[in-house]
């Protein structure tokens, strides 16, 4: 038994006689290359189809993914006071709308009182229309969806999180938006962001949280099981057609770069 192979290789049958041969080969001494020290030759393999007819094999170059039906359920009524980040919600907070192609719109409040430079940086990308026709390029079930401008980033900013010496108590609850960064430095965030599909405490204090979803949880729930197997990619193209903002009276400053 070798459980480390499970889900990683295509198992498709099992021995029903000849276990003595399996045991004999298993006890043969192998070389450093894992080849047996004595040659084992398969003289032939025959098959008894039991009268059944099987289709021709399909090569990977000929395989076509079954299309995924885009049918996002309607959103249930959300009591904002029950959200785990409700204490940071305010009528004076800026609100962003993420427009997803074929999926609908998601709205989030940004929290400048917790991460002002991160919010100002994000707003600057919105005002520059840098989020038009972006892709969600990373999707991990019960973890995150991630997107953002890739080729037209401006500068790196200081990570506004407790692990970087800046008090930010907002945890990575489901619906929270946070900034992606390079693993080697807290101060490497640019435009890449991720939204939590579930509560993940291991990210707390390590990434700069700066807002939370107030509508569009139905989209999060729909996407949560759409991870492409054995990858960190979505199973289909998820296009962010645009991100717009209602400042609600908030006046952003220019973002402060680290350099």
């Amino acid at each position: 038994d070798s459980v480390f192979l499970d889900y990683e290789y295509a198992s498709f049958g099992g021995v029903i006689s000849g276990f003595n041969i399996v045991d004999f080969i298993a006890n043969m001494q192998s070389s450093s290359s894992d080849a047996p020290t004595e040659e084992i030759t398969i003289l032939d393999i025959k098959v008894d189809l039991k009268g059944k007819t099987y289709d021709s094999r399909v090569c990977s170059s000929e395989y076509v993914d079954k299309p995924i039906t885009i049918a996002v359920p309607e959103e249930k009524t959300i009591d904002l006071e029950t959200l785990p980040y409700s204490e940071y919600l305010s009528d004076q907070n800026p609100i962003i709308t993420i427009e997803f192609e074929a999926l609908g719109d998601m709205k989030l409040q940004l929290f400048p009182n917790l991460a002002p430079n991160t919010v100002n940086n994000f707003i600057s990308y919105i005002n520059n229309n840098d989020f038009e026709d972006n892709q969600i390029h990373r999707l991990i079930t019960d973890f995150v969806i991630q997107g953002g401008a890739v080729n037209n980033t401006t500068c790196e900013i200081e990570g506004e999180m407790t692990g970087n010496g800046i008090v930010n108590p907002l945890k990575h609850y489901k619906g929270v938006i946070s900034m992606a960064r390079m693993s080697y430095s807290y101060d490497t965030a640019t435009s890449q962001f991720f939204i939590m599909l579930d509560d993940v405490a291991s990210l707390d204090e390590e990434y700069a949280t700066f807002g939370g979803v107030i509508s569009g949880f139905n989209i999060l729930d729909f996407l949560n099981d759409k991870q492409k197997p054995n990858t960190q990619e979505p199973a289909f193209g998820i296009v962010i057609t645009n991100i717009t903002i209602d400042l609600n009276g908030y006046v952003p400053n220019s973002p402060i770069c680290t350099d």
Side-chain angles (χ1 to χ4, degrees):
D1 298 345
S2 300
V3 296
F4 64 91
L5 300 179
D6 293 346
Y7 310 116
E8 297 297 318
Y9 294 87
S11 48
F12 64 101
V15 172
I16 57 173
S17 70
F19 278 100
N20 56 326
I21 299 175
V22 172
D23 292 337
F24 178 80
I25 295 174
N27 291 322
M28 289 185 68
Q29 183 179 1
S30 63
S31 65
S32 58
S33 64
D34 287 338
T37 52
E38 297 181 31
E39 187 177 87
I40 303 173
T41 303
I42 297 175
L43 298 177
D44 194 12
I45 298 180
K46 297 182 177 67
V47 63
D48 181 355
L49 295 176
K50 302 291 186 182
K52 295 183 179 180
T53 301
Y54 292 86
D55 296 332
S56 299
R57 64 186 177 191
V58 179
C59 299
S60 59
S61 60
E62 302 168 342
Y63 183 76
V64 177
D65 286 329
K66 182 180 179 182
I68 294 176
T69 302
I70 307 298
V72 180
E74 291 188 11
E75 183 156 43
K76 300 176 182 177
T77 301
I78 298 174
D79 183 355
L80 297 182
E81 293 184 358
T82 65
L83 296 176
Y85 44 85
S86 61
E87 63 183 293
Y88 307 113
L89 298 176
S90 168
D91 292 338
Q92 283 74 51
N93 284 337
I95 295 177
I96 64 170
T97 301
I98 303 178
E99 302 167 11
F100 291 99
E101 184 177 87
L103 298 176
D105 295 347
M106 179 185 296
K107 293 184 182 296
L108 300 90
Q109 276 196 27
L110 304 184
F111 304 148
N113 58 320
L114 295 182
N117 194 48
T118 304
V119 168
N120 292 336
N121 175 70
F122 199 78
I123 291 173
S124 72
Y125 282 103
I126 293 174
N127 290 337
N128 288 332
N129 297 315
D130 290 326
F131 291 128
E132 288 186 357
D133 296 322
N134 284 175
Q135 294 271 346
I136 291 294
H137 60 265
R138 187 173 184 232
L139 190 159
I140 305 176
T141 300
D142 295 330
F143 192 54
V144 302
I145 56 172
Q146 182 172 324
V150 176
N151 298 320
N152 51 347
T153 57
T154 52
C155 69
E156 296 180 345
I157 61 171
E158 183 179 29
E160 294 178 301
M161 76 284 283
T162 304
N164 202 26
I166 300 174
V167 176
N168 182 348
L170 177 59
K171 299 182 183 299
H172 286 80
Y173 301 116
K174 177 182 178 180
V176 163
I177 185 172
S178 189
M179 290 301 296
R181 61 173 176 82
M182 304 300 289
S183 59
Y184 58 80
S185 174
Y186 287 127
D187 301 331
T188 53
T190 54
S191 75
Q192 293 289 308
F193 63 92
F194 56 90
I195 301 173
M196 303 305 301
L197 294 171
D198 202 350
D199 301 350
V200 182
S202 61
L203 301 181
D204 294 345
E205 303 184 3
E206 295 297 308
Y207 293 85
T209 51
F210 65 102
V213 172
I214 56 173
S215 71
F217 282 99
N218 56 328
I219 297 175
L220 284 184
D221 292 339
F222 174 78
L223 293 177
N224 191 32
D225 64 350
K226 301 301 185 294
Q227 180 181 355
K228 189 175 182 179
N230 302 317
T231 73
Q232 293 189 1
E233 302 172 5
F236 62 98
I238 305 172
V239 178
I240 297 174
T241 55
N242 201 9
I243 301 179
T244 56
I245 187 164
D246 180 354
L247 291 173
N248 281 328
Y250 176 72
V251 180
N253 296 316
S254 297
I256 300 171
C257 304
T258 56
D259 54 9

